[in-house]
Amino acid sequence: MLGEWLAAGMCADMDWMQERADERLDVRRLFPGARTVLSLAANYYWWDPNAEGSPISRYARGRDYHQTMRDRLRTLRRTLRQKFPGLRDYAAVDFGPVMERVWAVRAGLGFVGRNGCLITRDFGSWVFLATMVLDAEVDRYNERFVPDACGDCTLCLSACPTGAITSDRRVDARLCLSYQTIENEQAIPEPLRPAMRNIVFGCDVCQDVCPLNAAPKVAGSERFAPRAVAQLGARELAALTPDEYQALIPGTPLARAKYDGLRRNAAYALGAMRDAGARELLQRLAEDPSDVVRDAARWALEQLSCAR
Ligand code: B12
Ligand code: SF4
Ligand code: SF4
């Protein structure tokens, strides 16, 4: 399935998905001697009335989850090695060449829904995944899989603002606003921009509409609590100064978009929302030294001039 997704070009310009595809498909190539895969999920859902309505997707509102999950993996490694000295492992969160959702399904943590997300029984899809490969066999491995609970529902398919979800549960990154706002460093393709209404970093639309996410539980760790940046709207994000950026963004997932990428996204969002109150700010950004910010602000100003 990964091969078809790559061959169809659905990974957009994420070349790193192509480069180590053989290791992704077989952990024994990634970690010779692999005998067991442990799959871990952590609930990150958080309710903070000041952050509801933020244009930043939920996963990115708190401290960078890579660090939190790595810390947890380190603790697990220490515990395992105390009990089993000499045990070797390979551990990964997100960036490692590991099919984390596939392993989570095999480990019985959940199933992959029509929106392409791993959905757990207890926490819906608001979970981060991490994977640890061991060079030893466990006594018992999972044999009970979580059944598909999508049934006849197709809410995520119709809600996706860009039609990025295919009928066979794949996400075409080229059309996905999560990819566009996080990974794409160039201008976002024009046909997708009007869909960026209140979407500045990441996208939660296909998870927000999911009935299996209707009763979320708040995460147990303060590390997932939204930071001050989650109280800002698209206008404030577009207007961030370098000093404000330094105070608010490092240590959160938002740092991946960098200063210009974040302001670029926010300018598109203001244009998509036809926010007339942002005209002056957009006029200033239309003269910004950054090409991507300038272009986004000019596009946004054009949207204001066609506003009814
Ligand atoms: C590339 C990537 C993206 C890309 C492409 C998304 C995609 N769906 O492929 C982009 C940038 C768009 C993206 C977006 C998001 N991502 Co992302 N992403 C990844 C990454 C690095 C690789 C995913 C991958 O291999 N894709 C290729 C496709 C073909 O594989 P797949 O997604 O695993 O899906 C296949 C399998 O699930 C398989 N399958 C389904 N059921 C079964 C059953 C069995 C038995 C088997 C064998 C296979 C199988 O069929 C699917 C289609 O082929 C993973 C981390 C990792 N290393 O795995 C994080 C990861 C998947 N992302 C994550 C998150 C949180 C997100 C976002 C929610 C962030 C956001 N809010 O904006 C969105 C969600 C978008 C969506 N609807 O999927 C989490 C997923 C958490 C979850 N509950 O599922 C991960 C696991 C990161 C992590 N460590 O927590 N992401
Ligand atoms: S994350 Fe947004 S753009 Fe991507 S598939 Fe889901 S709803 Fe569509
Ligand atoms: S919205 Fe419906 S179809 Fe989509 S993942 Fe949730 S239950 Fe499945």
Side-chain angles (χ1 to χ4, degrees), residues 111-117 119 148-157 169 206-207 209-213:
F111 72 99
V112 174
R114 284 211 173 89
N115 60 6
C117 293
I119 304 179
D148 187 328
C150 283
D152 295 336
C153 176
T154 51
L155 283 173
C156 51
L157 267 91
R169 303 188 183 209
C206 56
Q207 296 187 89
V209 297
C210 178
L212 303 172
N213 278 339

